[in-house]
């Protein structure tokens, strides 16, 4: 109980072209009820008060649903603990006197913007390449529930759709591969009748964009599945692999 | 585009990796089955082994399969090194501190290193026996066949030669411990009903096959 004294070693980088380095910060009076981000808020408050540059990090919802927060904490994406984002990580996971290493996601496709903030727009471009269904919205919309869908498929599609696009899979993967993210986005549509008409085009386009962005290849180490805050399964990667081979050999041109 | 998709993309490289890898696994079974004959060190066993070696280097169907095999090894190694180089490039700045053991096995992350060591072994192994069988200056046995047996027995009477084989088989075991099941995942064959079975068969295969391969030089050394 009570408060903890910690030493944070945080990656500081003033901008995309700065070399950057790890900098040590002592933090006192850390309550175990704080979230990791609240602890950083406290540190930033102190830095600002001393006229120093606060540490830049991404965050938004702070309840594990938006996918904004990141951080590679003590060698793991979103820190220790499973099935949580950094905003859901609490200081009770650490103990008095701990040294905590905090680094940004590392991938060529996720360049550092400043300190712990990386540019994840590569994910947006992959989504834009095919992660959607083309729905006619001009007044003749069909009730989605009118189409019967097997319960297992609906559940599995929903599981895939819970991916929040945080990028922990890429950060964790020894190859900086984006396969789990792309597989989740492909699967959520591939499993549903509404997604089938564009399925072949989608998987080919999304994989092509993934490769263009410079993500690594999948070695099936399974690290992504372990560190993913939403527990996205490797089964989705296998589904994408099937979809891709089928699309490659059956497409028209 | 259809061409490039099935040849150049990241996924396609993995299908070929998986297909060639599984083909090499099948080859390992056949190769092991044939070479276990070496455990019979009687004069009769020696003649039988030499006759088998002759069959394997001259029978047309075996020759066709062997060319497919050479191509698979070369392609698997080339593709694997290409993948590994791309993977390195995908993370230009590395982490200061990484707790990779918390989420994956070391051998799944070191497939390229393990594979490269297997390749080094293959060069030694093929120079030692395959090259000699095809182009070397081997004596003939009582039946008039090239006496590969004597060459193998001489090689495995040297402790360091036996050691290279045993260590290499340990390396192969770790390559397969990840590789066998991984190949099925790469091909999209993941199903809650079958995947646990595939993983178990993979562990069994990865242990049993290299252990029996390693047994041959050890046995021949002890009984020399
Ligand atoms: C008897 C020899 C070999 C067998 C049976 C074998 C088998 C396999 C199998 C089944 C896989 C899994 C494929 C997948 O993940 O889809 C694999 C992966 C791999 N192999 Fe081999 N292999 C052999 C030799 C080699 C050699 C000589 C190299 C040379 C570099 C090599 C390099 C690799 C690499 C780098 C991977 C991982 C690819 C990745 O996931 O990124 N292998 N191997
Ligand atoms: S698959 Fe998991 S780790 Fe990857 S972006 Fe989606 S939620 Fe994050
Ligand atoms: S801030 Fe939204 S998921 Fe963490």
């Amino acid at each position: 109980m009570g408060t903890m004294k910690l030493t944070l070693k945080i990656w500081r980088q003033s901008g995309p072209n700065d070399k950057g380095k790890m900098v040590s910060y002592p933090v006192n009076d850390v309550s175990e009820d704080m979230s990791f981000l609240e602890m950083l808020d406290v540190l930033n408050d102190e830095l600002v008060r001393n006229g120093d540059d606060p540490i830049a990090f991404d965050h938004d919802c702070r309840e594990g649903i938006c996918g904004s927060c990141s951080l590679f904490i003590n060698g793991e994406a979103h820190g220790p603990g499973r099935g949580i984002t950094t905003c859901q990580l609490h200081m009770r996971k650490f103990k008095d006197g701990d040294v905590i290493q905090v680094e940004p996601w590392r991938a060529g496709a996720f360049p550092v913007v400043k300190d712990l903030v990386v540019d994840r727009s590569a994910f947006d471009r992959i989504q834009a390449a095919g992660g959607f269904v083309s729905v006619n919205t001009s007044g003749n919309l069909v009730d989605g529930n009118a189409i019967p869908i097997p319960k297992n498929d609906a559940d599995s599609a929903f599981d895939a759709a819970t991916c929040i696009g945080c990028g922990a899979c890429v950060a964790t993967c020894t190859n900086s591969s984006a396969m789990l993210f792309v597989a989740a986005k492909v699967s959520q549509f591939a499993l549903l009748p509404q997604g089938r008409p564009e399925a072949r085009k989608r998987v080919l386009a999304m994989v092509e964009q993934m490769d263009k962005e410079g993500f690594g290849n999948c070695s099936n180490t399974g690290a992504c599945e372990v560190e993913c805050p939403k527990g996205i399964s490797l089964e989705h990667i296998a589904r994408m692999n099937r979809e891709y081979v089928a699309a490659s050999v059956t497409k028209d041109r | 585009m259809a061409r490039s998709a099935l040849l150049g993309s990241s996924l396609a490289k993995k299908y070929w990796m998986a297909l060639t890898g599984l083909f090499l696994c099948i080859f390992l079974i056949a190769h092991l089955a044939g070479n276990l004959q070496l455990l019979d060190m009687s004069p009769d066993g020696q003649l039988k082994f030499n006759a088998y070696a002759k069959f394997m280097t001259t029978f047309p169907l075996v020759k066709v399969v062997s060319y497919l095999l050479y191509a698979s090894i070369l392609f698997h190694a080339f593709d694997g090194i290409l993948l590994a180089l791309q993977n390195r490039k995908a993370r230009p700045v590395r982490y200061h501190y990484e707790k990779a053991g918390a989420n994956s096995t070391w051998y799944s992350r070191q497939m390229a290193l393990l594979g490269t060591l297997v390749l080094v072994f293959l060069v030694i192994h093929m120079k030692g026996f395959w090259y000699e069988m095809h182009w070397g200056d081997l004596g003939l046995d009582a039946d008039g066949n090239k006496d590969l047996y004597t060459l193998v027995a001489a090689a495995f009477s040297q402790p360091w030669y036996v050691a290279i084989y045993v260590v290499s088989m340990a390396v192969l075991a770790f390559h397969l411990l990840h590789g066998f099941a991984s190949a099925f995942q790469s091909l999209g064959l993941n199903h809650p009903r079958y995947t646990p079975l595939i993983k178990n068969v993979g562990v069994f295969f990865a242990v049993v096959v290299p252990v029996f391969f390693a047994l041959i030089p050890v046995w021949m050394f002890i009984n020399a």
Side-chain angles (χ1 to χ4, degrees):
Chain A
M1 294 314 283
T3 61
M4 296 183 272
K5 267 189 170 72
L6 303 168
T7 306
L8 293 177
K9 293 200 166 156
I10 301 182
W11 180 259
R12 299 304 308 262
Q13 182 175 341
S14 63
N17 299 319
D18 182 27
K19 238 177 86 65
K21 60 174 189 298
M22 299 296 281
V23 179
S24 234
Y25 297 95
V27 242
N28 302 323
D29 298 329
V30 175
S31 151
E32 57 185 21
D33 296 329
M34 285 176 177
S35 78
F36 200 85
L37 298 186
E38 281 165 344
M39 186 272 299
L40 287 179
D41 291 339
V42 170
L43 172 59
N44 270 346
D45 200 44
E46 198 181 305
L47 290 177
V48 171
R49 244 187 280 227
N50 294 339
D52 292 330
D53 192 22
I55 299 149
F57 61 89
D58 269 323
H59 61 104
D60 189 11
C61 72
R62 298 210 177 193
E63 56 178 352
I65 56 167
C66 75
S68 291
C69 62
S70 53
L71 306 189
F72 206 71
I73 301 164
N74 272 354
E76 287 185 80
H78 295 301
R82 298 287 170 252
I84 53 166
T85 52
T86 292
C87 59
Q88 296 170 301
L89 174 66
H90 285 85
M91 297 314 293
R92 63 182 80 96
K93 280 270 179 194
F94 302 91
K95 53 181 198 309
D96 193 37
D98 274 2
V99 177
I100 307 176
Q101 315 256 0
V102 190
E103 295 178 70
W105 285 172
R106 290 292 185 200
F110 285 169
V112 172
V113 177
K114 184 172 194 281
D115 297 336
L116 303 172
V117 176
V118 299
D119 178 358
R120 283 171 281 186
S121 56
F123 271 13
D124 301 339
R125 290 187 291 274
I126 294 172
Q127 276 289 64
F132 51 81
V133 282
S134 307
V135 180
N136 184 344
T137 51
S138 56
N140 48 3
L141 208 57
V142 179
D143 178 2
N145 291 327
I147 307 167
I149 299 167
K151 171 82 170 127
N152 285 346
D153 289 351
D155 285 352
S156 204
F158 187 83
D159 286 347
T162 59
C163 163
I164 53 178
C166 64
C169 41
V170 175
T172 295
C173 176
T174 185
N175 305 335
S176 295
S177 165
M179 285 287 274
L180 195 64
F181 165 78
V182 181
K185 300 304 175 192
V186 164
S187 281
Q188 77 179 68
F189 296 120
L191 283 157
L192 300 177
Q194 292 92 333
R196 288 317 304 173
E198 291 163 304
R200 285 188 290 180
K201 210 170 83 183
R202 175 180 307 114
V203 69
L204 293 172
M206 290 180 80
V207 169
E208 191 184 339
Q209 190 63 35
M210 171 180 88
D211 288 352
K212 259 194 215 149
E213 298 290 348
F215 291 105
N217 309 289
C218 181
S219 288
N220 302 323
T221 69
C224 52
E225 181 185 53
V226 175
E227 298 288 350
C228 170
K230 300 299 159 186
I232 303 292
S233 162
L234 294 182
E235 283 175 38
H236 296 298
I237 294 184
R239 179 175 300 101
M240 176 162 79
N241 290 344
R242 293 196 293 275
E243 288 278 322
Y244 188 85
V245 88
S248 301
V249 298
T250 61
K251 70 197 189 61
D252 307 331
R253 283 177 297 122
Chain B
M1 179 38 195
R3 248 177 68 87
S4 73
L6 258 192
L7 287 176
S9 82
S10 57
L11 267 63
K13 284 197 207 78
K14 283 307 303 273
Y15 297 138
W16 291 115
M17 211 56 205
L19 290 172
T20 50
L22 287 179
F23 179 62
L24 292 176
C25 287
I26 295 170
F27 154 74
L28 287 183
I29 300 175
H31 193 51
L32 178 63
N35 288 351
L36 282 176
Q37 294 179 71
L38 282 164
L39 296 178
D40 179 0
M41 295 175 74
S42 68
D44 194 38
Q46 302 184 12
L47 291 177
K48 269 197 205 145
F49 178 77
N50 286 339
Y52 165 74
K54 182 182 179 180
F55 171 78
M56 292 306 280
T57 44
T58 50
F59 189 66
L61 186 64
V62 177
K63 276 182 110 169
V64 172
V65 175
S66 70
Y67 289 128
L68 192 61
L69 180 69
Y70 306 147
S72 290
I73 293 175
L74 291 176
F75 189 87
H76 185 87
F78 173 79
D79 201 22
I81 289 165
L82 192 67
L83 283 165
L85 291 177
Q86 287 179 337
N87 293 343
R88 274 203 84 75
K89 231 180 74 192
R91 178 162 293 155
V93 182
R94 311 204 71 81
Y95 290 106
H96 278 254
Y97 177 60
E98 218 173 335
K99 205 171 154 192
N103 49 46
S104 52
T105 59
W106 69 268
Y107 47 88
S108 73
R109 282 177 267 119
Q110 299 296 344
M111 289 297 277
L113 174 67
L114 294 167
T116 304
L117 291 174
V118 171
L119 190 63
V120 170
F121 165 76
L122 284 176
V123 171
I124 297 172
H125 176 59
M126 292 185 71
K127 168 69 189 74
F129 303 138
W130 175 82
Y131 175 85
E132 294 298 332
M133 179 67 193
H134 282 263
W135 300 283
D137 200 12
L138 290 184
L140 301 180
D141 66 11
D143 288 347
N145 291 323
K146 283 190 185 178
D147 193 3
L148 182 63
Y149 180 89
T150 302
L151 180 74
V152 174
F156 291 153
S157 66
Q158 300 153 279
W160 62 273
Y161 216 89
V162 175
I164 289 177
Y165 271 67
V166 172
V167 171
S168 299
M169 287 307 103
V171 170
L172 178 66
F174 281 109
H175 195 72
L176 295 176
L177 208 49
H178 177 66
F180 189 92
S182 174
F184 288 84
Q185 168 77 6
S186 296
L187 294 171
L189 304 173
N190 182 326
H191 189 282
R193 194 134 40 101
Y194 305 109
T195 298
L197 177 70
I198 291 169
K199 285 189 177 163
N200 287 333
V201 171
V203 172
F204 180 81
F205 187 89
V207 173
V208 169
V209 171
V211 162
F212 272 98
F213 267 123
L215 179 69
I216 298 171
V218 171
W219 178 268
M220 293 183 81
F221 179 75
I222 294 170
N223 294 303

